[in-house]
């Protein structure tokens, strides 16, 4: 089922990885299963999938093609926020949706749900626009770090309380192009930007 290359082909990016947590095949199989569930649940509903750039784009792209019913896609983008603002759950919208979601069946697609603060803010923002329904699909879930309870109707994988990269998830804008997900070597990962 592999579409791309083995990890070694990614040269210096792969050299920065200490451990692969989910292989390309594992991710693709899970995405296919989620797509089948969504196709079944939303039959006849013409849902709108909403994603937040940038991390979600590979997942969104694969999930979209794993869905067999008519579906539309839209994106939002949020600005990176200060740690104080983040702790309060504040998010600044950099790009809003192109279309109104009033009366639409909206499926919000996330890459990782960590503390839940970002998702909680964005769901509040979307709910105020009066969609017919609003559900969440998250590929990765770090439930141990949750600060606020958020509903996840479709889930890919549970993650340990560790920083991961690959399949859209970056470290300083790199590693998004890896088709697998892994942990960074301590020599590469400097969480405080040092
Ligand atoms: P939350 O508000 O739930 O704490 O943050 C969710 C956002 O934090 C995700 O959309 C993602 O951008 C970022 N994030 C959380 N955990 C990770 C991780 O392990 N790796 C990467 N690259 N980003 C993460």
């Amino acid at each position: 089922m592999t579409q791309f290359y083995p990890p070694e082909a990614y040269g210096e990016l792969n050299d920065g990885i200490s451990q692969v947590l989910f292989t390309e095949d594992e991710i693709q199989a899970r995405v296919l299963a989620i797509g089948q569930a969504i196709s079944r649940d939303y039959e006849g509903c013409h849902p709108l999938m909403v994603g937040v750039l940038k991390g979600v784009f590979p997942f969104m792209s694969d999930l979209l093609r794993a869905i067999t019913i008519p579906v539309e896609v839209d994106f939002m983008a949020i600005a990176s926020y200060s740690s104080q603002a983040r702790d309060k759950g504040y998010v600044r919208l950099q790009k809003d949706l192109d279309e109104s979601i009033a009366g639409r069946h909206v499926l919000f697609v996330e890459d990782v749900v960590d503390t839940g603060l970002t998702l909680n803010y964005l769901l509040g923002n979307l709910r105020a626009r009066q969609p017919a329904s609003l559900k969440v699909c998250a590929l990765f879930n770090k439930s141990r770090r949750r600060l606020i309870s958020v509903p996840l109707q479709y889930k890919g994988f549970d993650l340990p309380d560790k920083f991961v990269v690959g399949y859209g998830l970056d470290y300083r804008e790199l590693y998004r192009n890896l088709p697998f997900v892994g942990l960074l070597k301590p020599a590469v990962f400097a969480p405080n930007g040092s």
Side-chain angles (χ1 to χ4, degrees):
M1 218 170 119
T2 303
Q3 297 175 38
F4 294 105
Y5 311 106
E8 314 78 73
Y10 293 85
E12 69 175 276
L13 290 174
N14 186 53
D15 291 345
I17 302 291
S18 64
Q19 191 191 340
V20 174
L21 295 180
F22 303 105
T23 65
E24 179 186 345
D25 285 356
E26 287 168 334
I27 294 172
Q28 293 301 331
R30 193 73 196 106
V31 172
L32 208 57
I34 298 172
Q36 284 165 355
I38 291 171
S39 305
R40 200 174 50 235
D41 297 349
Y42 283 89
E43 179 80 60
C45 291
H46 199 136
L48 172 68
M49 291 163 70
V50 170
V52 178
L53 296 170
K54 302 176 192 170
V56 83
F57 76 89
F59 176 43
M60 184 73 126
S61 155
D62 287 339
L63 183 62
L64 187 65
R65 286 170 294 172
I67 293 176
T68 49
I69 57 168
V71 61
E72 291 177 45
V73 184
D74 206 344
F75 289 98
M76 300 168 109
I78 54 176
S80 47
Y81 35 75
S82 68
S83 55
Q84 293 98 317
R86 185 196 154 106
D87 289 347
K88 292 186 186 134
Y90 293 155
V91 169
R92 190 164 62 82
L93 280 191
Q94 219 162 32
K95 180 212 170 293
D96 203 350
L97 298 173
D98 292 333
E99 305 290 338
S100 162
I101 60 166
R104 299 293 308 269
H105 292 283
V106 175
L107 180 61
F108 190 80
V109 184
E110 258 285 34
D111 46 9
V112 189
V113 183
D114 188 11
T115 62
L117 292 173
T118 311
L119 178 59
N120 184 61
Y121 175 86
L122 291 170
L123 287 180
N125 179 299
L126 293 177
R127 252 184 233 116
R129 307 180 196 199
Q130 300 184 315
S133 68
L134 179 59
K135 289 186 180 171
V136 181
C137 172
L139 183 59
F140 296 112
N141 181 29
K142 285 186 180 174
S143 55
R144 265 175 261 163
R145 299 221 341 137
R146 201 71 94 250
L147 292 178
I148 189 157
S149 165
V150 279
L152 301 183
Q153 282 83 12
Y154 302 95
K155 258 190 303 187
F157 302 95
D158 285 314
L159 276 185
D161 180 10
K162 292 192 171 142
F163 187 83
V164 302
V165 294
Y167 199 62
L169 298 171
D170 75 309
Y171 174 57
R172 297 180 170 174
E173 291 301 324
L174 292 175
Y175 301 93
R176 294 191 198 274
N177 54 321
L178 296 178
F180 57 90
V181 164
L183 302 177
L184 283 174
K185 288 182 179 162
V188 178
F189 183 47
N192 297 319
S194 53

